[in-house]
Amino acid sequence: MMNNVKLGVEVISAHDLKPKDGQGSSNAFVELRFDGQRFRTTTKERDLNPVWNETFYFNITDPNNLADQTLEAIVYSYDKGSQSGTFLGKVRIHGTAFVHYSDASEWHYPLEKRRVFDRVKGELGLKVFLTDDPGIRLSNPIPEMDTSGFLDQEFDDDDHMQQTRHDNSAPVPMNDQGGNRRTYRHLPNPDSLPASNIISNAMNQRTSMQQNQYFANAPRPEQQPPRFFGMNAPGMNVPGMNLPGVMNQAVDYAIRETSPMLGGGRVVGGRVIRSQQPVSTYDLVEKMQFLFVRVVRARDLPNMDIGGGLDPYVVVKVGNYKGTTKYFNKDKNPEWNEVFAFSKDRLQSHILEVQVHDKDLVKDDFVGLVRFDLSEIPTRVPPDSPLAPQWYRLEDRKGDKTKNGEVMLAVWYGTQADEAFPDAWHSDAIAGPEISPSNSSLVRSKVFHSPRLWYLRVNVIEAHDLVPSERARLPDVFVKAQLGNHTARTRPAQARPSNAFWNEDLMLVAAEPFDDHLVLTVEDRVGPNKVETLGKVIIPLAAIPKCLDDRPFPGKWYNLQRPSSTDIAEDNKKERERFASKLHLRISLDGGYHVLDESTYYSSDLRPTARQLWKPSIGVLELGILSADKLQPMKTRDGKGTADTFCVARYGHKWIRTRTIIDSLSPKYNEQYTWEVYDPATVLTIGVFDNGHLGSNVDSKIGKVRIRISTLEAGRVYTHCYPLLVLHPSGVKKMGELHLAVRFSCTSMVNLMSLYTKPLLPKMHYTRPLSILRTSILRQQAISIVTARLSRAEPPLRKEVVEYMCDADAHFWSMRRSKANFYRLYSVLQGFLAVGKWFGEVSLWKNPVTTVLVHLLFVMLVCFPELILPTAFLYMFLIGIWNYRFREKHPPHMDTRISYAENVHPDELDEEFDTFPTSKGTDIVKWRYDRLRGVAATVQKVMGDIAAQGERIQLLLSWRDPRATSIFLSICLVSAVVLYATPFPLLAALVGFYQMRHPKFRAKLPAAPVNFFKRLPAKTDYML
């Protein structure tokens, strides 16, 4: 069957091309190349801003390899004299950026060079999309154009551009200057199309390709306890020396490197020592053996109730572990299709029993059972096919076969790489009394994808023909935009006489799919806390155009509906004529921004919203969540402290949640996950929580770990125990340790290194920047949207989990954070202070040998000033090489010393955990306010002193102090004459020797220039 999926390319226009015809213009045409196919547009003569509006359709030979394909659009200038084409620039679009037609938008790509010395400028407007529209019929082969003489000489240097004579090309009219849209199609080559490619596979290949990389399905070697062999305490040797008032971090809070036995072998110093067992891709966790029991269905069950029939359910029992399926009402042939997984290390019996029961109100009746000897159960190793279930006759408790009743089962040994593992009921998660078949999904592992977020920009321009209720008063009008639970409003504007003008941007956050509606209301402020609605507009989000750059587009007039109207459709014609108020708007979904839904310092994704702007990935990040240890009890069960923990990891749009381990303070997860990496300046966040569905209504936080990708060496396996540190109102507390294995694999080192020279955020953040306040407001909106979406998943990620992972409270005031940031700044400046102190000691001749050597070096640099910069850079190079020996061998982790969390005052912690607005009493708030006023007074004084120094410099030439200005002008004149007559090296040597003169030639009083500067006036005289 022929594949019906096509790649559509709409060549729209080009802008600001480089002239190549010798007369200040170009004869531009575009050649498109994809998957061995080549098309050309028409030639636009003598036009540096040509418009084509021509559409081409390429056949996709192998949709499964679409992500590895590249579309090339090359712009040439046709030279009639030499019958050749001159290169103007090219655009390369990778297959990962192809989207469906409904998501495609016009985008102007900057032209790139083909060689290093090419001179290129301008942009090319394209719209690239995937379509399976059956209305686009394949036409007959189009006669190819004679390209000999000018195409071959341009393409000889590109091996992949060599085309055979049977390639189909589009006819190229040379004199078409119109803007009419032209469509070209390509006939597929039947020999190159596999017959197995069908439409459904083609459209879903991108989704399946992305999902497959998230999961692994290979076995693991035998489990062995981790071996701890080293300790690195970052708090003991962090650069920055001893900060005032801050002690070194406790050793118990330090990260520890481990040497566990993982699926690929033992990890020692980041290197994997391969074992003799086969190695699979699922190699960052310890292999765990499980006993899997799949209960498929039953048939011909006997009647157990008085009225006939029964309510069957199955109990799977191994020793003290027992799992139960759901029950069916009056069904003698039920079908469950449920899987149970029992950890082999915890098995306390050699017999597996699968019992069928009849559910009754008082006491459940026994129907029959099937017994298995655990020593005779087979072992399955993926990629073996799943074990086929079999029918088993039920037995009574004595072992005799019953007359009626059979159950279909499949029993095997496997590992966490088994396909049944994610959806199975685990023995460490079904043993709790709170777990029942109805809420068992709350403890399973799951992968989530947060919604794709867009910035919705509403440019409110003006309103005409407003009808206020009071004619004698000038209306005080503003526009309010509402999307879901979020609102934004313009500044008030007075309508004169019935028209109002704003030209103000309102921004909100929208999430896919676009099911909501944007509601715009025009309101009149008639009094204090009293507004009157003059009209409204309801616009579906799906009807709003998507914008990928900062190009302006025309606005649109909208008729205002009556305030009482709730219908999304427009009113009828008579009502529109009677109510004729209009609102001028320019609305767009801006896809060129990255919507921040987490702290900017810990962003896990920096890509723009629009998929068309995504670049290829630079590597793969693999995370193995091994275990947790020494956890603090989070609840009480059966008179002892315990915890029901699970882990959540977030990177980019992908969130993962491990299964919940019930009733354990040392849980073992051994689950592995994978992410694609697009930027090294991103952070992976892993959090540990106590499941609130089992005993409470809140998922309590236990701690989290952040791992910055740029600190990881490519190919190295990092296995460490991270302390889980949480700040409580009583102080910092260690809640346990989390054992992780992390590996970053780089797929393109060239692309990775080039990212360090590119902007951190997408282009729109610089061409049309957002204010800090607006970014903060939009971030809170984005977090609330992500929280609402993930809380509706199954199992849900609750609000407190998402907010903790996204650092939703990072913008709140904290005295502790303020002190920590101050000491961080002090640590940065301490290096400059140390250099100043060293130079002061040299000038004071504390060490005569050092001072003499510095004099000699100074004379050499003065005589040869061209050596200054090379010497400085060589010095920094040598320092960097020397520090390589002392580099940290583990990723950075939370440091209580730098965070100023160990010596913080209890009242400051109480203030940090206070709600906003405050819930404290009047006396406490008054005391904290007075303390804050004292701190602010110190800051105010320092800012005033810095401003005064700058004002003294500004007032030197203003004659504010006539005598000081006269003295300064005289000094300037003498200095100019001396500098003109004195060689600069001699002058520099004299100044340097004067600064480093011996203490015998120094006075104890300040120097004359310092005294002169301090006597200058400042603008403090103008202050009230």
Side-chain angles (χ1 to χ4, degrees):
M1 180 177 178
M2 185 177 297
N3 179 20
N4 199 33
V5 182
K6 308 173 188 65
L7 175 67
V9 181
E10 182 178 343
V11 183
I12 301 171
S13 62
H15 172 68
D16 195 22
L17 296 179
K18 193 171 186 62
K20 288 290 187 178
D21 62 355
Q23 300 178 2
S25 186
S26 292
N27 304 321
F29 68 92
V30 180
E31 177 159 319
L32 302 174
R33 299 175 180 180
F34 177 77
D35 198 12
Q37 306 162 56
R38 184 169 66 183
F39 290 139
R40 289 184 59 215
T41 66
T42 57
T43 300
K44 302 298 181 181
E45 297 184 356
R46 301 185 59 81
D47 193 352
L48 295 179
N49 299 284
V51 177
W52 289 281
N53 285 329
E54 298 176 6
T55 304
F56 303 86
Y57 291 94
F58 293 90
N59 294 292
I60 301 176
T61 304
D62 187 2
N64 294 322
N65 295 329
L66 182 60
D68 299 328
Q69 297 287 348
T70 300
L71 169 68
E72 286 192 340
I74 309 175
V75 185
Y76 293 96
S77 176
Y78 179 70
D79 188 353
K80 296 181 180 180
S82 61
Q83 293 293 311
S84 63
T86 304
F87 180 78
L88 297 180
K90 69 174 182 178
V91 172
R92 291 172 59 90
I93 305 175
H94 295 273
T96 55
F98 298 161
V99 296
H100 196 267
Y101 180 81
S102 58
D103 295 328
S105 300
E106 175 185 350
W107 175 246
H108 289 260
Y109 298 87
L111 294 177
E112 302 175 356
K113 297 180 180 180
R114 184 174 56 184
R115 304 183 185 91
V116 177
F117 299 103
D118 285 341
R119 301 179 64 185
V120 172
K121 72 171 184 176
E123 298 175 338
L124 178 62
L126 300 174
K127 183 177 180 180
V128 184
F129 54 89
L130 296 171
T131 179
D132 62 343
D133 186 2
I136 303 177
R137 294 186 176 275
L138 298 174
S139 60
N140 292 327
I142 301 174
E144 67 172 314
M145 181 180 177
D146 185 11
T147 59
S148 61
F150 86 95
L151 287 181
D152 291 340
Q153 94 176 44
E154 287 296 318
F155 304 148
D156 284 344
D157 57 338
D158 298 328
D159 294 336
H160 67 281
M161 296 181 181
Q162 298 299 326
Q163 304 293 330
T164 58
R165 297 294 297 172
H166 68 268
D167 284 345
N168 298 319
S169 302
V172 186
M174 302 299 292
N175 298 320
D176 184 9
Q177 297 292 335
N180 296 330
R181 188 175 305 280
R182 308 173 65 90
T183 302
Y184 303 88
R185 302 177 179 89
H186 190 278
L187 186 68
N189 183 1
D191 297 334
S192 62
L193 288 175
S196 61
N197 286 343
I198 60 175
I199 297 176
S200 59
N201 291 339
M203 293 308 298
N204 294 328
Q205 57 90 19
R206 286 179 57 85
T207 303
S208 63
M209 182 170 52
Q210 293 173 357
Q211 290 177 348
N212 289 340
Q213 65 187 345
Y214 296 149
F215 303 98
N217 54 2
R220 302 292 175 274
E222 293 294 330
Q223 171 188 356
Q224 293 188 14
R227 180 175 63 89
F228 299 89
F229 70 92
M231 178 180 298
N232 292 323
M236 306 300 290
N237 55 0
V238 169
M241 303 174 228
N242 295 323
L243 300 183
V246 185
M247 302 298 292
N248 286 338
Q249 177 172 256
V251 176
D252 195 35
Y253 295 162
I255 186 175
R256 295 187 300 164
E257 187 172 7
T258 63
S259 180
M261 185 66 181
L262 303 182
R266 183 169 297 280
V267 179
V268 178
R271 295 182 297 107
V272 179
I273 301 177
R274 301 295 181 183
S275 60
Q276 297 180 354
Q277 299 183 1
V279 179
S280 64
T281 57
Y282 205 71
D283 58 349
L284 288 187
V285 292
E286 302 172 5
K287 186 175 73 171
M288 299 180 66
Q289 293 285 344
F290 288 91
L291 171 65
F292 290 96
V293 180
R294 181 183 296 275
V295 182
V296 183
R297 59 180 180 267
R299 66 184 180 187
D300 299 333
L301 296 178
N303 295 323
M304 302 299 295
D305 296 337
I306 298 178
L310 77 166
D311 306 326
Y313 68 92
V314 174
V315 176
V316 181
K317 184 178 181 181
V318 183
N320 295 331
Y321 293 102
K322 180 174 65 174
T324 306
T325 68
K326 59 185 177 181
Y327 73 93
F328 291 90
N329 290 322
K330 303 299 180 180
D331 192 349
K332 299 176 65 176
N333 299 285
E335 184 173 348
W336 294 281
N337 198 22
E338 299 182 16
V339 181
F340 299 84
F342 299 88
S343 177
K344 188 176 181 180
D345 295 339
R346 298 187 179 186
L347 297 182
Q348 301 173 353
S349 174
H350 64 281
I351 297 295
L352 165 67
E353 290 187 356
V354 180
Q355 304 176 0
V356 181
H357 292 263
D358 173 33
K359 190 172 184 61
D360 288 331
L361 294 177
V362 180
K363 183 179 179 182
D364 297 345
D365 296 329
F366 174 79
V367 179
L369 59 81
V370 177
R371 290 188 177 93
F372 296 89
D373 190 343
L374 297 185
S375 61
E376 298 179 357
I377 293 177
T379 299
R380 175 180 176 265
V381 179
D384 293 349
S385 300
L387 193 67
Q390 300 179 17
W391 287 104
Y392 294 90
R393 173 72 64 178
L394 295 179
E395 303 175 352
D396 57 18
R397 297 189 184 277
K398 297 180 181 179
D400 299 330
K401 300 291 184 180
T402 59
K403 295 182 179 180
N404 297 322
E406 289 181 318
V407 61
M408 179 179 282
L409 304 172
V411 184
W412 73 96
Y413 283 116
T415 65
Q416 66 266 49
D418 201 291
E419 295 89 347
F421 179 80
D423 296 326
W425 291 7
H426 296 274
S427 59
D428 48 12
I430 63 177
E434 297 86 354
I435 298 298
S436 62
S438 60
N439 62 2
S440 62
S441 61
L442 303 178
V443 298
R444 294 178 180 173
S445 59
K446 191 66 69 174
V447 175
F448 310 85
H449 284 272
S450 58
R452 192 146 59 115
L453 304 178
W454 295 71
Y455 280 149
L456 173 63
R457 185 186 297 272
V458 182
N459 180 224
V460 183
I461 303 174
E462 57 184 334
H464 283 185
D465 303 326
L466 298 177
V467 184
S469 59
E470 301 179 11
R471 301 282 183 173
R473 181 184 59 85
L474 285 177
D476 195 16
V477 183
F478 64 91
V479 177
K480 182 176 72 174
Q482 181 173 359
L483 182 62
N485 298 325
H486 304 122
T487 60
R489 63 184 63 195
T490 65
R491 67 183 187 281
Q494 291 187 348
R496 300 175 182 271
S498 59
N499 301 336
F501 182 81
W502 294 277
N503 195 22
E504 184 176 346
D505 283 346
L506 303 179
M507 295 198 69
L508 298 167
V509 178
E512 293 182 355
F514 299 127
D515 299 330
D516 294 336
H517 295 80
L518 172 66
V519 181
L520 297 168
T521 57
V522 182
E523 300 182 356
D524 178 20
R525 194 185 306 276
V526 298
N529 300 325
K530 184 179 181 182
V531 296
E532 177 187 15
T533 302
L534 303 181
K536 67 177 180 180
V537 178
I538 303 178
I539 305 173
L541 282 182
I544 297 176
K546 299 175 182 177
C547 181
L548 304 184
D549 53 19
D550 58 345
R551 295 175 183 271
F553 57 93
K556 183 179 179 181
W557 288 94
Y558 293 86
N559 293 328
L560 293 178
Q561 301 178 10
R562 289 184 175 277
S564 59
S565 175
T566 58
D567 190 4
I568 296 176
E570 294 186 357
D571 300 333
N572 56 49
K573 184 175 181 180
K574 177 183 282 187
E575 291 179 345
R576 291 202 306 270
E577 292 177 354
R578 192 169 55 193
F579 189 73
S581 298
K582 297 180 181 295
L583 188 61
H584 192 193
L585 303 171
R586 188 182 290 115
I587 309 176
S588 65
L589 289 165
D590 290 350
Y593 290 99
H594 168 68
V595 181
L596 292 169
D597 60 346
E598 51 193 339
S599 176
T600 54
Y601 298 107
Y602 312 122
S603 294
S604 61
D605 189 12
L606 300 173
R607 294 173 295 172
T609 300
R611 292 183 60 91
Q612 296 93 317
L613 306 181
W614 291 4
K615 301 297 183 182
S617 63
I618 60 171
V620 176
L621 177 64
E622 299 169 274
L623 170 67
I625 304 178
L626 302 179
S627 62
D629 193 21
K630 303 177 183 178
L631 296 179
Q632 297 293 325
M634 304 299 295
K635 59 185 68 170
T636 302
R637 181 179 295 143
D638 297 333
K640 66 175 184 178
T642 186
D644 308 319
T645 59
F646 64 93
C647 298
V648 176
R650 187 258 172 96
Y651 186 77
H653 294 282
K654 180 182 175 182
W655 298 62
I656 65 95
R657 169 177 175 152
T658 67
R659 69 190 189 280
T660 300
I661 306 299
I662 304 297
D663 198 16
S664 176
L665 298 180
S666 299
K668 291 186 177 182
Y669 306 98
N670 284 308
E671 298 184 22
Q672 182 172 338
Y673 300 92
T674 305
W675 289 267
E676 287 192 43
V677 179
Y678 293 87
D679 197 298
T682 49
V683 176
L684 169 67
T685 304
I686 307 103
V688 184
F689 302 87
D690 180 74
N691 199 322
H693 294 281
L694 310 176
S696 64
N697 295 321
V698 178
D699 291 339
S700 303
K701 60 183 180 183
I702 299 179
K704 65 181 173 184
V705 175
R706 301 190 191 99
I707 300 176
R708 186 169 294 274
I709 309 303
S710 60
T711 62
L712 304 179
E713 298 179 12
R716 178 187 173 99
V717 179
Y718 292 84
T719 54
H720 293 85
C721 272
Y722 296 83
L724 299 174
L725 306 177
V726 176
L727 194 64
H728 292 280
S730 58
V732 65
K733 184 177 181 181
K734 181 179 178 181
M735 303 296 293
E737 294 179 347
L738 182 62
H739 195 192
L740 302 175
V742 182
R743 177 173 58 205
F744 169 64
S745 302
C746 180
T747 57
S748 176
M749 184 60 66
V750 175
N751 292 340
L752 174 61
M753 302 301 290
S754 65
L755 282 178
Y756 283 88
T757 64
K758 297 181 180 179
L760 187 66
L761 294 173
K763 179 181 177 181
M764 282 286 288
H765 288 270
Y766 305 97
T767 58
R768 201 169 184 179
L770 304 176
S771 65
I772 297 178
L773 178 60
R774 172 168 287 182
T775 302
S776 178
I777 295 174
L778 293 175
R779 176 175 173 260
Q780 296 304 315
Q781 294 182 16
I783 291 177
S784 64
I785 292 175
V786 174
T787 300
R789 290 290 181 89
L790 296 182
S791 63
R792 296 199 298 265
E794 189 69 30
L797 286 180
R798 288 185 165 182
K799 177 182 179 182
E800 58 270 16
V801 174
V802 178
E803 290 183 348
Y804 182 62
M805 296 291 290
C806 294
D807 293 291
D809 59 348
H811 62 288
F812 289 141
W813 158 259
S814 168
M815 180 67 75
R816 176 191 61 83
R817 289 197 191 104
S818 300
K819 290 183 178 180
N821 291 335
F822 172 79
Y823 288 127
R824 288 172 56 200
L825 179 61
Y826 179 85
S827 177
V828 171
L829 298 178
Q830 203 167 28
F832 299 97
L833 298 177
V835 172
K837 181 180 179 181
W838 172 81
F839 184 76
E841 294 178 351
V842 170
S843 300
L844 295 176
W845 292 72
K846 293 286 186 69
N847 189 337
V849 177
T850 302
T851 303
V852 171
L853 293 177
V854 170
H855 278 74
L856 296 177
L857 177 62
F858 177 73
V859 171
M860 184 186 68
L861 295 178
V862 168
C863 296
F864 304 97
E866 64 275 8
L867 298 180
I868 295 178
L869 289 180
T871 302
F873 284 114
L874 179 61
Y875 181 67
M876 287 189 290
F877 171 78
L878 294 177
I879 291 178
I881 295 298
W882 177 262
N883 289 338
Y884 180 79
R885 300 173 52 196
F886 309 102
R887 70 189 188 281
E888 294 187 3
K889 301 297 181 61
H890 55 75
H893 187 54
M894 299 177 186
D895 194 317
T896 57
R897 181 183 69 90
I898 297 178
S899 303
Y900 205 82
E902 293 184 333
N903 299 332
V904 62
H905 194 276
D907 183 73
E908 295 176 359
L909 285 177
D910 184 65
E911 180 183 17
E912 183 172 345
F913 284 91
D914 192 9
T915 58
F916 188 85
T918 182
S919 58
K920 299 298 180 180
T922 306
D923 295 339
I924 296 178
V925 174
K926 180 178 180 298
W927 183 83
R928 290 175 179 172
Y929 176 68
D930 292 340
R931 181 186 62 187
L932 186 60
R933 289 178 64 190
V935 175
T938 304
V939 176
Q940 170 185 293
K941 182 178 182 303
V942 173
M943 293 175 60
D945 293 341
I946 296 175
Q949 310 306 320
E951 291 167 355
R952 285 170 175 158
I953 298 176
Q954 290 179 342
L955 296 177
L956 271 174
L957 301 175
S958 65
W959 295 90
R960 184 69 243 174
D961 186 343
R963 287 167 293 276
T965 303
S966 301
I967 296 173
F968 180 71
L969 294 179
S970 302
I971 295 174
C972 290
L973 179 60
V974 174
S975 300
V977 174
V978 172
L979 291 176
Y980 273 119
T982 307
F984 180 78
L986 177 60
L987 183 63
L990 293 176
V991 173
F993 286 134
Y994 177 77
Q995 290 293 334
M996 293 183 291
R997 65 191 184 277
H998 197 273
K1000 292 183 177 180
F1001 304 101
R1002 295 177 180 272
K1004 296 183 178 181
L1005 298 179
V1010 176
N1011 298 331
F1012 174 79
F1013 182 77
K1014 290 186 176 181
R1015 290 179 179 272
L1016 295 175
K1019 291 184 179 180
T1020 53
D1021 302 335
Y1022 296 89
M1023 297 290 293
L1024 292 175

